[in-house]
Structure formats: C-alpha cells, structure tokens
Amino acid sequence: MGTRVGQTPVVDGDSFRRALGRHAAGVVVVTGPGPVGLTATSFTSVSLDPPLVSFCVARTSTTWPDLREAPTFAVNVLATGQAEIASRFAGRGTDRFAPPTSWHPGPGDVPILDGTAAYLLCEPYDTVAMGDHWLVVGLVVDTGLGAPGVPLLYHRGRYGRFSPHPG
C-alpha cells in the first residue's frame, strides 16, 4: 500500500501504473492556436447532450498553460501509423509542429493533424483539478473524419494497433 486519503489506504503509484498498463487506451493529440499540442491517452466521451469529451493533463505540463488559454482546441484521434506523432507530442525540447509533422490550420487557427482517424473541435467547457492532473472537458462544436482505418492504441507502455475479434 502507498499513502492514505483520509482513513483509506491507497495503492502506491508504481502498482497503480502497472495495473492501468493492462488497459488499452486510444491515443489523441490535443492542439491549440500558437501552435501548441500534447499527447493524451486519457481521452473519453462524457455526454451526448450536450456533446462533451474529456482528457487529463499533468499539472507539471509546460504546454498546458498555453493550451488552457485557447478559445478552441482540437482533439486529433490518431491512426495506427501515427505512433511517431504521439511520441513527438509527448516529448519535450522539440518543435512538435516542424516536419515530419504534417498539419493544416483549422477553424480559429487550431492545428488539425493530417492523417488522423478523426478530429473534434472543442470549446473549453470546464477544467477541474484532480490529484496531480487537470481534468479538461470540452464542448464539441465540429468534427471531421479521416480515412477509415485502425486507431492507435497505448498498452503496457507501448503503442500498438487494434485487431478485431473474428467472431
């Protein structure tokens, strides 16, 4: 066990990370004017009415302060062949939008990454502090679909692809 929250003991960070590593997650890159962007694997739908999505970002993120000020942002749903893009936007000390990243300006000069499975253009809806992360909720105001294909997944610390069950 790790620390306590109130009277309840909680699991340590390494055990928590190992258990969550068994969960496959889709991979997105969240982009905003500037341009700025970051990789997230904590993306999920929240509500259909109104259309809301969410992602989490570490409070230590150096990208988040600029992205937080954006009047709109895009959630770029990565396709299988975009593991290098995911790594690029997860790293530090590089121009994430320089070649080989291919992108074009979308509505409000929000960068839309080329070759993605889809994108969702969002307006900020709510941001809540949750532990060592920010929970960010966006109101979806537009969407775009890329070529049909297989999404990029993150599982056990590695990028991979979805393989449908034959039955």
Side-chain angles (χ1 to χ4, degrees):
M1 288 291 154
T3 61
R4 292 185 167 273
V5 174
Q7 295 300 312
T8 306
V10 295
V11 69
D12 64 88
D14 288 337
S15 296
F16 183 60
R17 191 174 293 111
R18 280 193 305 274
L20 285 180
R22 302 289 174 104
H23 172 73
V27 183
V28 301
V29 169
V30 181
T31 55
V36 296
L38 54 85
T39 298
T41 57
S42 57
F43 174 72
T44 191
S45 63
V46 174
S47 167
L48 290 175
D49 187 18
L52 300 174
V53 295
S54 72
F55 65 93
C56 293
V57 60
R59 287 191 185 205
T60 57
S61 169
T62 56
T63 303
W64 175 240
D66 291 329
L67 193 54
R68 184 176 189 150
E69 299 301 317
T72 55
F73 60 87
V75 177
N76 297 270
V77 180
L78 299 188
T80 296
Q82 295 184 303
E84 183 179 318
I85 296 291
S87 294
R88 185 177 187 93
F89 278 82
R92 293 183 182 208
T94 184
D95 181 353
R96 297 169 178 170
F97 292 91
T101 303
S102 179
W103 63 280
H104 63 276
D109 287 330
V110 173
I112 305 297
L113 301 180
D114 296 332
T116 60
Y119 76 85
L120 299 96
L121 187 67
C122 302
E123 293 179 355
Y125 187 82
D126 201 1
T127 302
V128 181
M130 291 284 170
D132 60 0
H133 278 64
W134 293 104
L135 171 65
V136 181
V137 180
L139 175 68
V140 181
V141 297
D142 192 18
T143 63
L145 300 178
V150 179
L152 181 65
L153 297 179
Y154 189 72
H155 181 250
R156 290 188 174 184
R158 296 178 16 198
Y159 297 111
R161 69 176 60 214
F162 172 75
S163 178
H165 189 273

